[in-house]
Amino acid sequence: MCPIDTQQWAITDQRLRSLVAVAKDLRNKYQDDLDSKKKMGLALQERSDFLWYELLVSYSTWGGSRGSEGLIEDEKRYQQVSYEELKKIDAKEDRINRLRQIMKDAKVRWFNKKAPMLAQCFEKIEAMGGLTEANTTLLNKKSAAEMMKFLKSFPGIGSKYASNIMMDCYHPLFRDRIALDSRVRSVSKELGLDFKNYSNHENFYLSVAKEAGIEGWELDRLIYGHTDDFLRFLRMVD
């Protein structure tokens, strides 16, 4: 019997066992990939443009991950909206127009809405003294709660993206976290689970990770990269 309180989460023991089992199996199968992501994440913190890079990642994937391919993975486009390039533009409206056009070309969803919000993020960083100062302020926070509060002060960044930003860099304070995106929610839907709030939803998956003997970070990245494997395995359960 799994030690997780199945009644609390309104899930059968059999389904819970299946979820734990697939998490263990996939972690073993993709261990090398996870280790590689951890190393790349730790290197992210060393980027001089870390915070701006992660804000662009967040905005490009907000509403669909396709935008990341066009904006983040396309080096030429990324450079056109890099922090240093935007600093060369004096007029706020011209900066917004640059963001709007590049995001449109990158097929980022809702680019008209996002461009002025990203410009506000830029201005907020400038008001802190610039990107180096903002990066230092974030990474010097002493707790996950302080980091979350800092990140959520930026337009468009809620709990999910605030968690994901720090999980991307495999920060020690965010290795037992789950960023609740559409993929995680699809697994919850398959399980027939409906949570009242973000905290309860995250805590359920953290309990699954603990039972599987893996980090919350690992479970999060496994679901993100292998959602279909989770869903296929769960659909085999009576």
Side-chain angles (χ1 to χ4, degrees), residues 43-138:
L44 263 181
Q45 294 183 46
E46 304 304 318
R47 287 184 64 129
S48 60
D49 65 343
F50 168 66
L51 178 56
W52 184 249
Y53 172 82
E54 282 295 326
L55 288 170
L56 287 178
V57 169
S58 299
Y59 272 79
S60 68
T61 58
W62 176 9
S65 59
R66 183 180 67 169
S68 179
E69 297 175 12
L71 186 66
I72 305 302
E73 297 177 28
D74 187 306
E75 186 176 345
K76 183 177 179 180
R77 286 203 188 103
Y78 180 81
Q79 287 303 316
Q80 289 177 299
V81 291
S82 68
Y83 197 84
E84 290 306 313
E85 284 300 309
L86 292 178
K87 279 194 72 169
K88 297 175 183 177
I89 301 174
D90 293 328
K92 177 180 177 178
E93 194 58 39
D94 289 344
R95 198 177 297 121
I96 292 173
N97 287 337
R98 167 72 67 84
L99 287 162
R100 181 182 290 119
Q101 186 60 55
I102 298 304
M103 284 196 289
K104 179 181 179 181
D105 294 344
K107 294 181 170 51
V108 175
R109 294 189 70 184
W110 311 318
F111 57 86
N112 278 322
K113 175 183 179 181
K114 292 175 179 178
M117 294 174 70
L118 262 173
Q120 290 176 43
C121 291
F122 176 90
E123 292 163 7
K124 182 177 178 66
I125 292 172
E126 281 291 277
M128 293 178 189
L131 190 51
T132 299
E133 183 66 28
N135 282 339
T136 301
T137 298
L138 170 60

Side-chain angles (χ1 to χ4, degrees), residues 189-221:
K189 183 177 180 181
E190 180 63 29
L191 291 167
L193 296 173
D194 184 20
F195 297 92
K196 294 181 179 180
N197 56 55
Y198 192 101
S199 179
N200 283 350
H201 202 164
E202 182 180 25
N203 284 338
F204 169 74
Y205 282 97
L206 290 177
S207 67
V208 170
K210 183 177 181 180
E211 178 63 19
I214 66 178
E215 294 175 335
W217 183 95
E218 292 176 314
L219 180 59
D220 177 278
R221 301 295 132 151

